[in-house]
Amino acid sequence: MALITLTSDIGNQDYLAGAVKGQLLQIDPGFQFVDITHQISPFNYPQAAYICRNAFRHFPEFTFHLVLVNLFERKPDQLILAFHQNQYILCADNGLLGMILEDRPEMVIGLPCDKNAIRSTLYCTGVFGNAIAAIGRGERLSDIGEPDVVYIEKNPLKPLLSDAWIEGQIIYIDNFENVIVNITREQFESQRKGRRFSIVFKRDEVIEKISETYADVPEGEKLALFNSAGYLEIAINKGNAAGLFGLQGYLEQAQNAYLQNRLFYQTVKILFA
């Protein structure tokens, strides 16, 4: 039985998240599902990549990760099935795959779309589900779609590195309004080289130490720590860092095509001394 994770930007307010599962169960009633989230912000590639990358690595080998995010940035002629580090990722050909992996996948298969079909979310779900079922029957990946297909690539959002500083971008704000920055513990320690440091962000706020837990500072005080995914997090003990400091990540709700192509993130800088 295939284990399938579901990540999408379709929300939980209407029928669609449930209909996706129903569509898949029509293909194979033995499919098993784990919802990662259906609350990815529209058009928010950095957020989607962060959530997917750090969730997928905790699943058993040969899990199928179905990513229904920004399926229709353009009319899809193909969908993507990738195999990398013993995990399957199925998503739109929109550039998100490379942002999730931060690497080139070991194998990419193009899943062709029927040119006469109405290419809706449920149609794409059916294409993905049929590919998963075919793999479960033992069919070779090269027989399911077009091997080594050309696909869209987008660069992941990476911090700027200097001997004297690191400049990172806010990639995610969680449910508690803790702010996640695209600086990993490994990058921090590599650039730090044992030196003192100051984490500087909006309104000239400064943090000069890394905490292990929120309780390391008094209630209402700001702190910085590396979260369970290994990324720098700015928080307030029992408070809302994003709201209090006026911090924003990638634009949460685009209003038009112009805004959809702009990054409304803010930077966080670590200075070494």
Side-chain angles (χ1 to χ4, degrees), residues 62 64 81-83 88 90 128-141 144:
F62 308 111
F64 294 89
L81 165 62
F83 183 73
Y88 295 98
L90 303 99
F128 290 136
N130 286 324
I132 295 169
I135 294 170
R137 292 192 299 268
E139 295 186 28
R140 296 182 303 177
L141 291 181
I144 293 172

Side-chain angles (χ1 to χ4, degrees), residues 178-196:
N178 300 319
V179 175
I180 290 83
V181 182
N182 66 333
I183 298 173
T184 66
R185 182 189 293 273
E186 182 180 6
Q187 290 166 332
F188 170 73
E189 294 296 351
S190 176
Q191 296 297 114
R192 179 187 181 188
K193 301 172 184 175
R195 294 176 290 179
R196 292 178 298 164

Side-chain angles (χ1 to χ4, degrees), residues 117-130:
I118 298 174
R119 281 165 260 187
S120 65
T121 297
L122 293 178
Y123 170 79
C124 294
T125 299
V127 173
F128 290 136
N130 286 324

Side-chain angles (χ1 to χ4, degrees), residues 104-105 115 117 139 142 163 175 185 194 199:
R104 292 190 65 85
K115 294 182 179 179
E139 295 186 28
S142 58
D163 182 64
N175 195 49
R185 182 189 293 273
I199 301 171

Side-chain angles (χ1 to χ4, degrees), residues 176-249:
F176 295 96
E177 293 199 14
N178 300 319
V179 175
I180 290 83
V181 182
N182 66 333
I183 298 173
T184 66
R185 182 189 293 273
E186 182 180 6
Q187 290 166 332
F188 170 73
E189 294 296 351
S190 176
Q191 296 297 114
R192 179 187 181 188
K193 301 172 184 175
R195 294 176 290 179
R196 292 178 298 164
F197 63 90
S198 299
I199 301 171
V200 182
F201 52 100
K202 192 173 182 180
R203 298 178 184 168
D204 297 322
E205 297 287 345
V206 177
I207 300 173
E208 295 183 321
K209 71 174 185 176
I210 299 295
S211 298
E212 292 185 4
T213 71
Y214 302 114
D216 286 351
V217 301
E219 186 173 327
E221 289 293 319
K222 62 181 179 289
L223 70 144
L225 51 75
F226 286 99
N227 64 16
S228 57
Y231 284 78
L232 181 66
E233 180 175 311
I234 295 171
I236 294 175
N237 185 15
K238 296 186 179 178
N240 301 323
L244 182 62
F245 297 128
L247 296 171
Q248 293 177 297

Side-chain angles (χ1 to χ4, degrees), residues 6-11 14-24 27 38 66-73 76 79 90-92 113 117-129:
L6 298 171
T7 305
S8 82
D9 54 9
I10 59 182
D14 61 17
Y15 71 92
L16 199 50
V20 163
K21 294 179 184 178
Q23 181 84 356
L24 291 168
I27 294 169
H38 294 290
L66 185 53
V67 184
L68 304 176
V69 171
N70 206 16
L71 285 177
F72 306 110
E73 181 174 283
L79 299 169
L90 303 99
C91 61
C113 295
I118 298 174
R119 281 165 260 187
S120 65
T121 297
L122 293 178
Y123 170 79
C124 294
T125 299
V127 173
F128 290 136

